[in-house]
Amino acid sequence: MRYITTPIYYVNDKPHLGHAYTTILADTMARFYRLQGYETKFLTGTDEHGQKIEQAAKNHNNSAKEYADKISLEFKKLWDEFEITYDIYARTTDQKHIDFVQNIFLKMYEKGDIYKDEYEGHYCISCESFFTPTQLINHLCCPDCGKETSLLKEESYFFRLSKYQDKILKWYEESDPILPKNKKNELINFVQNGLKDLSITRTSFNWGIKLPKELKDDKHIIYVWLDALFIYVSSLQDENSKFWPAHIHLVGKDILRFHAIYWPAFLMSANLPLPKFVAAHGWWIQDGEKMSKSKGNIIDPRKIAHTYGLEAFRYFLLKEVSFGNDGDFNEQSLINHINAELSNEFGNLLGRIIGMSAKYSQNYIDHKDILIYFSEEYQQAKKHLKEAINFLEVLQTNHYLEELFKALNVANLSISKYEPWNLIKNNENEKANALISLCANILAQVSILLNPVLPNSTKKVAKALNFEISSKTYQKLILNNELLDFKASPCEALFPKIEQKSQKENEIKQENKAKIKIEDFSKIEIKIALVKDCQAIPGSDKLLRFELELEDNEIRQVVSGIAKHYNPKDLIGKQICVLSNLKKAKIFGYESDGMILSAKSGDKLVLITSEQLVENGSLIG
């Protein structure tokens, strides 16, 4: 069993690059566990209670629930757009979670771990935390976020955190649950300095979960961290309960203390098992500065993914930074990764294998002589694959990817060293074909392990070489070291090289473009076309292949990326608008002669059609 969680993201603002990194990392791990054959649950979601949300809602003239609904939807839409394979999207405003938290609060109270008293301290609204005077910066500011705190005095319920100090230290020592390992000493020092009982209710605002009715104390709401952390358990109902405890809680370094000190203490109090790992990553910065709205350097992950491609974006985030360290976002570095690694090392190797097999062996690739001629190269590549798996198990994705590309490098260097074209000239056909098979098997094995990072691109490799990526082939090729025969077929370039310098320069160019003149518009031909046939394209979840009839019974084939919005059968017989004089292009291996016009509104896409039936090929102008 594998249960992996992201933090449930606070809905005081829209998702940013840091959220995308955490979620893509969690998605990669979930895909990896499924590939290994584990039953896997992957949770993400939103944390929607607290004073920050109440204030943000007022600033936007919304009720707290309206505002939470809106921002939570922004997160969910982005994760769906990014093809994140979460199993559970959890919200702290869900009634089942509210009921669970009230029930667990009552149990902890009846156990004697919660008591009522009065609290006075410096409170940071942004971090939802109290701090002692000695913890403050310049006697006033929050030590975590740097913002001014407020001195509050209010009645509160307290959790006996001090009771669990020794048990938490024992957990650190015996289970070694903190990743990366160097974070453990920071936590040990913090706990050894003494844990004070924790204020876990508030009376100064209203947006949160009320205390259990049995306590008859309606003016209190439950502390946002006690509320939020239990979402990891409350979301596992009925048959899903078998997934607890979590295998990995993925968090940012700024909330490690809450997950590695408060959370295990809460779980101990509730008599629930503790997670296996709590893993804390660093922040994303830009040009050496932490991103913030006030500095105007917040990066929209959607724009980057749209500009360079989702898979390249995933690869960059996981390759650029060592887990636990801060990462400096740089677009030129992203372009370099695409060109040097994804295009040259990965994509070009597939192209070379397809080309050579077509030329030398009628597309058939036989593995029988690999170990006769290239045993040393094969063992070298396998060593890198084994190292890669070890790195991914501890979330060191940059080293994981480095090892996979070292294996690809073995294949690429072997082609350069042994020159199969010269082997063919010298009538060493068996050795030449063994070399191609060596490269194909290395590429297949790397693609299986690269699939959690580049799920769509590696599926294209599998299709081109006629094998599948699954837990079955993981077992055969990665664990059992089996070799495969292949039958190669043409494939589009996986990662075309990026020529432009940066997204910002592209945006400036777009802004500076002159408005077109009527003569320019007259060059465009938009015509009415009848959909004679429409089929989904195998291997793609986005593309449909249309057969369109224009004037004089002319039939055109057009490929359009609208499969997620329309059932192809429903489109047959409809009249639609098509840009008919567009230069022909090849999309996913299919010729496309034109472009179907549509309009996008939010997450909906609607085809442009004529109001009433007209002759096929009628010109729109």
Side-chain angles (χ1 to χ4, degrees):
M1 300 286 182
R2 290 290 186 267
Y3 179 39
I4 183 168
T5 71
T6 71
I8 49 168
Y9 301 115
Y10 213 41
V11 295
N12 60 319
D13 211 341
K14 294 179 181 180
H16 54 63
L17 187 68
H19 298 127
Y21 171 67
T22 317
T23 309
I24 288 170
L25 176 56
D27 181 64
T28 298
M29 296 307 299
R31 289 175 185 268
F32 179 60
Y33 295 145
R34 295 184 193 115
L35 188 63
Q36 290 181 308
Y38 288 106
E39 279 191 78
T40 301
K41 287 290 177 188
F42 168 19
L43 173 142
T44 190
T46 45
D47 179 4
E48 302 172 23
H49 292 133
Q51 193 170 5
K52 268 194 295 189
I53 309 304
E54 193 174 70
Q55 289 182 351
K58 287 178 182 176
N59 293 339
H60 288 82
N61 296 316
N62 292 137
S63 70
K65 184 61 165 64
E66 287 171 342
Y67 183 77
D69 287 345
K70 183 167 63 175
I71 303 299
S72 181
L73 183 60
E74 289 282 342
F75 278 91
K76 191 173 188 298
K77 283 166 61 178
L78 184 61
W79 303 152
D80 290 342
E81 188 177 325
F82 278 10
E83 300 175 14
I84 301 299
T85 60
Y86 60 84
D87 300 289
I88 303 169
Y89 189 85
R91 300 180 60 187
T92 56
T93 50
D94 290 342
Q95 190 59 48
K96 70 174 182 179
H97 172 69
I98 293 170
D99 294 342
F100 184 92
V101 170
Q102 290 175 329
N103 183 52
I104 211 82
F105 188 99
L106 185 61
K107 286 182 178 179
M108 292 161 73
Y109 179 84
E110 290 172 345
K111 187 178 181 178
D113 281 352
I114 292 175
Y115 62 94
K116 191 175 182 180
D117 205 336
E118 193 174 70
Y119 189 84
E120 182 176 6
H122 291 267
Y123 185 65
C124 174
I125 293 174
S126 182
C127 297
E128 302 279 6
S129 294
F130 279 101
F131 297 96
T132 64
T134 56
Q135 292 176 306
L136 299 177
I137 300 172
N138 296 327
H139 310 290
L140 181 63
C141 295
C142 171
D144 288 341
C145 70
K147 295 178 181 177
E148 286 190 9
T149 59
S150 302
L151 185 62
L152 294 182
K153 183 176 182 179
E154 61 181 14
E155 182 183 85
S156 179
Y157 285 80
F158 287 79
F159 172 71
R160 297 187 190 277
L161 184 63
S162 56
K163 172 182 173 180
Y164 293 96
Q165 178 172 319
D166 291 341
K167 291 182 179 179
I168 292 169
L169 289 171
K170 186 178 180 183
W171 178 55
Y172 295 158
E173 188 61 35
E174 294 182 352
S175 300
D176 201 18
I178 309 302
L179 293 174
K181 302 293 186 184
N182 59 9
K183 297 288 185 184
K184 185 171 79 169
N185 287 336
E186 297 175 23
L187 292 166
I188 289 173
N189 291 336
F190 186 93
V191 176
Q192 285 179 337
N193 283 335
L195 295 179
K196 295 184 178 180
D197 290 352
L198 183 68
S199 170
I200 56 166
T201 65
R202 300 288 180 267
T203 59
S204 53
F205 57 95
N206 296 314
W207 180 235
I209 297 176
K210 294 286 187 181
L211 293 192
K213 291 180 180 178
E214 292 85 346
L215 297 183
K216 298 178 181 178
D217 206 345
D218 289 343
K219 67 180 179 179
H220 287 264
I221 60 167
I222 296 172
Y223 174 49
V224 68
W225 277 105
L226 179 65
D227 161 8
L229 288 165
F230 274 106
I231 196 82
Y232 302 136
V233 182
S234 70
S235 298
L236 296 177
Q237 301 293 324
D238 304 323
E239 73 278 2
N240 289 333
S241 61
K242 65 184 180 181
F243 286 93
W244 188 260
H247 186 71
I248 297 177
H249 289 311
L250 269 171
V251 301
K253 65 180 182 180
D254 51 328
I255 56 172
L256 176 60
R257 186 173 75 246
F258 300 96
H259 283 79
I261 298 175
Y262 299 170
W263 181 222
F266 293 157
L267 289 170
M268 290 172 188
S269 177
N271 296 319
L272 290 169
L274 274 57
K276 183 170 183 180
F277 294 113
V278 177
H281 63 74
W283 291 326
W284 278 92
I285 58 179
Q286 188 175 35
D287 300 325
E289 289 190 321
K290 187 180 177 184
M291 297 179 198
S292 70
K293 288 173 74 175
S294 60
K295 292 176 182 175
N297 63 350
I298 292 289
I299 291 174
D300 181 351
R302 182 181 277 108
K303 284 185 179 179
I304 300 297
H306 284 180
T307 301
Y308 297 105
L310 175 59
E311 302 232 318
F313 180 55
R314 286 173 67 100
Y315 180 86
F316 170 77
L317 290 180
L318 299 175
K319 179 68 186 295
E320 185 71 4
V321 62
S322 179
F323 183 80
N325 294 343
D326 291 345
D328 198 338
F329 183 83
N330 180 285
E331 278 187 75
Q332 192 56 52
S333 180
L334 168 55
I335 292 169
N336 292 343
H337 280 302
I338 294 171
N339 290 344
E341 295 152 33
L342 296 178
S343 180
N344 283 355
E345 293 284 329
F346 182 50
N348 281 356
L349 179 59
L350 175 62
R352 296 170 91 179
I353 291 167
I354 292 170
M356 289 187 295
S357 66
K359 193 171 183 180
Y360 306 144
S361 58
Q362 292 79 49
N363 296 314
Y364 286 97
I365 302 173
D366 191 331
H367 79 273
K368 65 183 177 67
D369 293 327
I370 289 178
L371 298 182
I372 295 174
Y373 293 105
F374 301 107
S375 177
E376 183 179 339
E377 286 82 1
Y378 177 68
Q379 294 304 326
Q380 186 182 355
K382 289 298 293 185
K383 181 182 177 183
H384 291 307
L385 299 185
K386 185 178 179 180
E387 283 297 311
I389 294 171
N390 293 336
F391 280 123
L392 191 57
E393 293 285 4
V394 290
L395 303 174
Q396 292 295 336
T397 57
N398 63 322
H399 297 309
Y400 167 71
L401 292 170
E402 283 169 6
E403 292 299 324
L404 292 183
F405 275 76
K406 284 177 184 176
L408 292 177
N409 194 43
V410 170
N412 283 307
L413 288 178
S414 296
I415 294 172
S416 300
K417 179 179 178 181
Y418 296 105
E419 299 180 332
W421 46 91
N422 283 330
L423 293 174
I424 294 292
K425 284 180 183 178
N426 296 329
N427 294 317
E428 296 182 78
N429 291 22
E430 287 185 352
K431 187 173 183 180
N433 290 325
L435 177 59
I436 296 166
S437 187
L438 167 74
C439 296
N441 272 278
I442 290 174
L443 179 59
Q445 291 166 359
V446 168
S447 294
I448 288 171
L449 288 176
L450 200 53
N451 178 259
V453 178
L454 304 175
N456 296 322
S457 301
T458 51
K459 284 176 186 174
K460 292 177 184 177
V461 174
K463 183 180 179 183
L465 296 181
N466 194 33
F467 74 98
E468 67 171 13
I469 295 176
S470 65
S471 56
K472 184 178 178 180
T473 51
Y474 178 89
Q475 179 74 34
K476 288 175 65 175
L477 272 70
I478 305 303
L479 300 184
N480 297 344
N481 297 318
E482 293 183 29
L483 294 165
L484 292 184
D485 296 332
F486 303 97
K487 186 177 187 303
S489 57
C491 179
E492 64 182 350
L494 297 181
F495 292 95
K497 286 200 172 182
I498 303 292
E499 301 298 334
Q500 63 265 37
K501 290 185 178 178
S502 75
Q503 177 202 359
K504 288 179 181 177
E505 289 180 84
N506 288 340
E507 289 174 352
I508 291 169
K509 286 178 183 177
Q510 292 295 327
E511 289 172 6
N512 291 338
K513 277 186 178 178
K515 292 186 177 181
I516 66 170
K517 299 176 182 178
I518 190 66
E519 307 94 86
D520 298 316
F521 181 76
S522 66
K523 297 175 185 176
I524 298 172
E525 285 186 1
I526 301 174
K527 293 182 178 180
I528 296 294
L530 176 69
V531 180
K532 298 288 287 184
D533 192 23
C534 184
Q535 302 285 338
I537 290 181
S540 173
D541 59 353
K542 295 180 180 179
L543 299 176
L544 296 179
R545 180 178 62 81
F546 286 80
E547 285 187 13
L548 303 178
E549 182 179 311
L550 283 85
E551 69 269 31
D552 301 322
N553 298 319
E554 179 195 352
I555 299 296
R556 295 268 194 103
Q557 176 173 282
V558 176
V559 176
S560 181
I562 63 171
K564 291 188 176 181
H565 303 274
Y566 284 94
N567 184 324
K569 291 181 180 179
D570 295 340
L571 298 174
I572 298 171
K574 290 185 178 293
Q575 283 191 324
I576 60 175
C577 296
V578 60
L579 180 58
S580 61
N581 63 337
L582 189 66
K583 187 177 179 181
K584 290 182 182 180
K586 269 212 167 181
I587 301 175
F588 213 76
Y590 292 81
E591 184 175 89
S592 183
D593 188 9
M595 182 174 72
I596 291 169
L597 302 186
S598 60
K600 192 166 186 181
S601 176
D603 57 354
K604 290 184 179 180
L605 187 142
V606 181
L607 288 176
I608 306 299
T609 60
S610 60
E611 186 174 328
Q612 50 187 296
L613 288 176
V614 296
E615 287 186 16
N616 295 333
S618 295
L619 190 64
I620 296 173

